């Protein structure tokens, strides 16, 4: 599975959240976790995925994609 933050960033922007700090406040999760998700350094944990789904309506399928064999 691979994670790309583009869908999360687009959903946050649509909700008026322009920075990871804005996103963290809205989701009520630590800033550092959101920063790492927004920059693609880490994929969200199951609890993080639940917070994203609850806040922005994105499902894990929207955020995690199968890696294609190259």
């Amino acid at each position: 599975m691979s994670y790309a933050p583009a869908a999360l960033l687009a959903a946050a922007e649509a909700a008026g959240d322009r920075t990871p700090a804005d996103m963290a406040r809205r989701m009520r999760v630590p800033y550092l976790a959101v920063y790492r998700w927004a920059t693609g350094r880490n994929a969200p944990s199951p609890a993080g995925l639940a917070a994203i789904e609850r806040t922005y309506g994105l499902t894990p399928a929207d955020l995690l994609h199968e890696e294609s064999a190259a």
Side-chain angles (χ1 to χ4, degrees), residues 12-46:
E13 178 81 20
D17 296 334
R18 301 190 189 286
T19 67
D22 295 336
M23 295 164 61
R25 276 190 293 274
R26 187 181 301 262
M27 286 191 279
R28 295 184 175 146
V29 297
Y31 165 80
L32 189 55
V34 176
Y35 174 80
R36 288 177 177 159
W37 303 339
T39 59
R41 286 188 83 166
N42 295 96
S45 66

